[in-house]
């Protein structure tokens, strides 16, 4: 066979072997190479539950309705480390944790288990009364070992009894009240019990932030936001 023709035949054979995506092992057996598209990516795996939250303000409170639906097509076994089935964490605009439900409520320590049937919904409702007006992020999740079903959502509080303010601490008027310079205006505030306990940590002339309530008679500081 002419040399030129032999080279063309060899080249065609090599290209044909490369196109199959297969290899041979030492025994001359064909070994199929796995194609990445044969396996679904993690993001393509169907979710087994569908979580959702609804937020509304009512009677100076923020109400969180949290639902989780089983969409797996079969029952799921869930085990909870305590009597608390769901939990939430609230973060401020800087990402600092403001409060967590499980840190404020009592719950049994006994492990509980349940069968979460297909199309069944788990519902939990939380009422938050002590957030001051502002913007937050809330994260709600199940406490189950097998499935947390986390949902993260922006939370805007506009109808709370509590407000946040920042000013210069100019001095103490009496054991139960202080004066704060807010944008050049001297304002007197009564102190609630928690604020009184925090008072020794404040320095005159320093900038302070605090949560307060207001009525027709007076303004009262509930607590100082200490770093």
């Amino acid at each position: 066979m002419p040399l030129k023709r032999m080279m063309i035949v060899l080249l065609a054979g090599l290209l044909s072997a490369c196109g199959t995506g297969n290899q041979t092992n030492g025994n001359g057996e064909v070994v199929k190479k796995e194609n990445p598209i044969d396996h679904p990516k993690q993001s393509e795996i169907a979710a087994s539950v569908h979580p959702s939250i609804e937020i509304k303000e009512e009677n100076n409170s923020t109400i969180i309705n949290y639902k989780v639906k089983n969409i797996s097509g079969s029952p799921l076994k869930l085990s909870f480390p305590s009597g608390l089935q769901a939990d939430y964490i609230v973060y401020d605009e800087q990402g600092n944790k403001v409060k967590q439900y499980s840190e404020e409520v009592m719950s049994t320590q006994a492990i509980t288990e349940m069968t979460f049937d297909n199309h069944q919904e788990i519902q939990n409702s939380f009422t938050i009364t002590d957030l001051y007006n502002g913007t937050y992020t809330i994260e709600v999740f199940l406490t189950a070992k097998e499935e947390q079903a986390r949902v993260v959502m922006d939370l805007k509080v506009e109808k709370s009894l509590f407000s946040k303010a920042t000013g210069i601490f100019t001095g103490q008027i009496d054991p139960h009240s202080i004066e704060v310079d807010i944008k050049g205006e001297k304002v007197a505030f009564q102190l609630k019990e928690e604020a009184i306990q925090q008072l020794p940590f404040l320095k005159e002339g320093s900038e302070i932030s605090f949560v307060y309530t207001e009525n027709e008679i007076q303004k009262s500081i509930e607590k100082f936001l200490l770093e």
Side-chain angles (χ1 to χ4, degrees):
M1 181 183 293
L3 179 60
K4 183 176 181 180
R5 185 175 178 182
M6 183 179 297
M7 291 180 63
I8 293 174
V9 172
L10 289 173
L11 179 59
L14 289 172
L15 291 174
S16 176
C18 291
T20 62
N22 298 333
Q23 294 179 344
T24 58
N25 59 21
N27 298 322
E29 298 171 340
V30 176
V31 180
K32 184 178 179 181
K33 293 176 65 177
E34 291 188 352
N35 192 326
I37 64 173
D38 292 339
H39 301 281
K41 297 178 182 179
Q42 187 67 28
S43 59
E44 296 173 347
I45 298 176
S48 59
V49 298
H50 175 69
S52 63
I53 56 176
E54 178 187 17
I55 302 174
K56 61 181 179 179
E57 285 192 86
E58 190 175 280
N59 298 326
N60 301 314
S61 300
T62 301
I63 300 173
I64 311 295
N65 291 316
Y66 172 60
K67 298 179 182 179
V68 180
K69 185 175 183 178
N70 181 356
I71 58 173
S72 68
S74 59
L76 300 174
K77 294 291 185 180
L78 299 180
S79 56
F80 301 90
S82 68
L84 192 64
Q85 198 175 66
D87 198 1
Y88 70 75
I89 305 175
V90 177
Y91 302 92
D92 63 18
E93 291 182 281
Q94 288 71 45
N96 302 311
K97 185 169 76 171
V98 176
K99 65 188 286 110
Q100 182 167 354
Y101 182 66
S102 58
E103 295 177 351
E104 301 176 352
V105 296
M106 297 291 292
S107 62
T108 60
Q109 297 302 310
I111 296 176
T112 59
E113 296 182 345
M114 69 171 289
T115 299
F116 190 19
D117 292 326
N118 187 39
H119 297 307
Q120 182 183 352
E121 272 192 347
I122 296 175
Q123 300 187 36
N124 285 269
S125 183
F126 307 98
T127 300
I128 309 175
T129 60
D130 56 352
L131 288 179
Y132 55 82
N133 291 312
T135 302
Y136 306 86
T137 299
I138 186 168
E139 178 182 12
V140 193
F141 50 94
L142 294 177
T143 62
K145 176 183 177 181
E146 299 82 1
E147 178 63 64
Q148 282 71 57
R150 294 180 182 273
V151 183
V152 179
M153 183 176 287
D154 292 335
L155 171 63
K156 190 171 185 178
V157 179
E158 300 177 300
K159 300 177 182 179
S160 174
L161 294 173
F162 303 95
S163 298
K164 176 185 175 182
T166 299
I168 304 300
F169 175 38
T170 57
Q172 187 170 354
I173 299 173
D174 57 45
H176 300 91
S177 61
I178 65 170
E179 185 180 74
V180 182
D181 185 329
I182 301 178
K183 297 180 180 180
E185 179 184 357
K186 301 288 177 44
V187 183
F189 288 90
Q190 292 291 312
L191 301 178
K192 293 294 183 70
E193 183 177 349
E194 184 175 354
I196 291 174
Q197 295 175 354
Q198 295 174 305
L199 195 56
F201 299 100
L202 305 182
K203 295 182 179 180
E204 289 190 18
S206 63
E207 184 178 79
I208 57 174
S209 295
F210 51 90
V211 177
Y212 72 97
T213 57
E214 181 178 4
N215 56 35
E216 297 177 355
I217 301 175
Q218 64 185 19
K219 297 179 180 180
S220 302
I221 295 177
E222 299 287 329
K223 63 180 179 181
F224 296 99
L225 301 175
L226 304 176
E227 294 183 356

